[in-house]
Amino acid sequence: MTDQPKIRIRDLHKRFGSKVVLDGLDLDVGVAESVVVIGGSGSGKSVLLKCILGLIDPDSGTIEIDGRNVVGLPRAEREAYMRKFGMLFQGGALFDSLPVWENVAFGLIQSKRMGRPEARAVALEKLAQVGLNEEVSLLSPAELSGGMQKRVSLARAIAIEPEIIFFDEPTTGLDPIMSDVINDLIVKCTRELGATALSITHDMASARKIADRVAMLYDGRIIWAGPVADIDRSGNAHVDQFINGRAEGPIQMAVRRS
Amino acid sequence: MRATLREEAFDADVRLAHSDGIQSRMNPLATIGSTFLSFLTALGRLALFAGSAVGHCVRPPIYPRLIGRQFLEIGYYSLPVVGLTTLFSGMVLALQSYSGFARFSAESAVATVVVLSITRELAPVLAGLMVAGRVGAAMAAEIGTMRVTEQIDALTTLSTNPFKYLIAPRLIAATLSLPILVLIGDVIGVFGGYVVGVYKLGFNAGNYIQSTVQFLEQIDVISGLVKAGVFGFIVALMGCYHGYHSRGGAQGVGAATTNAVVTASIMILIANYAITELFFGR
Ligand SMILES: Nc1ncnc2c1ncn2[C@@H]1O[C@H](COP(=O)(O)OP(=O)(O)OP(=O)(O)O)[C@@H](O)[C@H]1O
Ligand SMILES: [Mg+2]
């Protein structure tokens, strides 16, 4: 079957205590497609990614990867499908006990059983792609700036050349020029290497560049999804308000106006 | 496979524990009951955690490089503190038992008292407590920080099992290095007693050494080393357990660190009695 999506999510529910975060979410991501999820802060975008990765167990619903439901899979089998994934965490999540290059080489050494010198060479190459030189590779993550950490984390996510890559706010905290470099890199991963990408971003310029399709998460559901070209004429008031960044509209932020 | 199952059950347990609603706290019986129940739950969680951790210690992949690093951290860097505590314990024991035993003219037993107390009790217990404070706290803080900064999640996404990568090396290294530490501590402690006995209390050096070895049996040393192994396991287990389950940022990590040291210390003292009972209780 060629039209089987890489990721198919159906009726996904997740709540923390009494707080409902995901409430019947449906989403498809096609093979080698790049989907960007947009949505307000705290709307559950990171939780969605973690559900797919198996880091958070959803309360109900199905998540199919290549046609196979992975919700509630035992840990040993989960490890097998993890090998298809790469993840850029919103907070970086770099291993602070390891130097930068070993962070990037980690997946190659641990899961692909590559020799250390060889893995190091690959790591340096990936670091160069995100604009970091050999000198930086010897530093510890704590010695880097926030944006540099983000780029190392990105290099780590793509180093193992995963089939599916998740980017949680890849360009947050970067300057506009570096953002564009990163956008190009993400595009390269998907268009040239054929990876499937599911990204989260607040940065509409970045979304327009890296997305094939955009999906908007609101109130625990995907309320609109469509090709990136249609985003300005979505006909959806929520999407309009979000992409134009207006305080007035159907989405009410829970802040007190004085 | 068994261990995997246990791990799943263990995770389910964690979820259960966190989804518990707040019940009525008015009825004192209910309070006692629920405290007891949550104690049992915690105990069960710990047992599952320990079972799954041990399972991962014995099944590949094993990380020799990480075990080596932990050996250095737990064993080698604890040498000074263990050496100092046992040295002064041996010294004070000689002094105390001399002045105490003088009351019924049994001063000649000083060397025997020193060597038995050090090997059976003081070296393992003091080393265990010292290592709990030094290493257990560090483990809880490190793993706890990794938890709250999502590094443990990142490990999982890089197809690396945190039990194997983080916990197994610490358990293995602590369980094996504490007996070595205690053996060295035994020697240093006895030496401390010797120094005080010979240079302060005026024992004849040859006699002191002779009465040190005369009544010493293998079981005295061996029971101490067994204790050391168990204590090492306890320290690493509590450090990893509390670190792994810490939540809520810096405050959570701080609480995990405290809990790791306190629970490890209490468990060491309880285990100490149990093992003594096993070896020498008739
Ligand atoms: N482990 C957790 N325990 C309890 N609540 C959580 C947990 N993780 C997330 N939440 C809650 O779920 C909601 C969604 O969080 P999430 O991190 O997915 O937001 P987000 O859409 O990624 O926001 P942002 O754009 O700011 O990163 C938040 O209200 C948060 O408080
Ligand atoms: Mg987020």
Side-chain angles (χ1 to χ4, degrees), chain B residues 171-258:
Chain B
L171 280 180
I172 294 172
T175 309
L176 296 182
S177 62
L178 257 217
I180 301 173
L181 269 179
V182 164
L183 201 60
I184 298 171
D186 284 349
V187 175
I188 296 177
V190 169
F191 173 74
Y194 170 88
V195 169
V196 171
V198 173
Y199 295 102
K200 185 172 164 60
L201 306 175
F203 282 93
N204 172 287
N207 286 350
Y208 190 95
I209 293 174
Q210 209 216 328
S211 45
T212 295
V213 290
Q214 197 179 4
F215 296 106
L216 184 69
E217 291 172 20
Q218 262 179 13
I219 191 83
D220 299 324
V221 178
I222 289 175
S223 70
L225 298 186
V226 169
K227 282 180 179 180
V230 173
F231 298 167
F233 180 80
I234 290 175
V235 167
L237 182 71
M238 297 325 286
C240 294
Y241 176 80
H242 288 287
Y244 195 79
H245 290 113
S246 64
R247 52 186 68 236
Q251 205 180 4
V253 174
T257 311
T258 313

Side-chain angles (χ1 to χ4, degrees), chain B residues 102-159:
Chain B
R103 292 179 191 163
F104 44 96
S105 358
E107 298 95 328
S108 57
V110 165
T112 314
V113 168
V114 168
V115 71
L116 289 191
S117 320
I118 288 283
T119 54
R120 282 182 173 201
E121 270 305 310
L122 287 177
V125 171
L126 289 177
L129 293 177
M130 285 297 164
V131 171
R134 213 188 78 80
V135 178
M139 279 183 193
E142 187 180 355
I143 297 181
T145 306
M146 291 187 74
R147 163 61 75 200
V148 299
T149 57
E150 300 183 319
Q151 291 179 53
I152 292 185
D153 288 343
L155 268 184
T156 315
T157 63
L158 292 163
S159 319

Side-chain angles (χ1 to χ4, degrees), chain A residues 50 53 55 57 74-76 79 82-83 85 89 93-96 98 106-107 110-111 113 116 156, chain B residues 4 7-8 11 15 61 63 65 69 146 149-151 153-161 163 165 244:
Chain A
K50 286 182 190 166
L53 283 161
L55 299 174
D57 285 324
R75 197 166 287 204
E79 257 170 49
M82 278 285 186
R83 285 179 210 286
F85 293 163
F89 284 86
L94 295 174
F95 305 128
D96 42 28
L98 299 176
F106 194 90
Q110 299 300 339
S111 93
R113 307 255 157 257
R116 289 173 71 83
R156 181 176 72 180
Chain B
T4 320
E7 222 167 279
E8 300 292 325
D11 274 0
R15 248 173 278 133
Y63 298 98
R65 176 191 284 269
R69 193 192 295 166
M146 291 187 74
T149 57
E150 300 183 319
Q151 291 179 53
D153 288 343
L155 268 184
T156 315
T157 63
L158 292 163
S159 319
T160 304
N161 189 324
F163 270 78
Y165 187 82
Y244 195 79

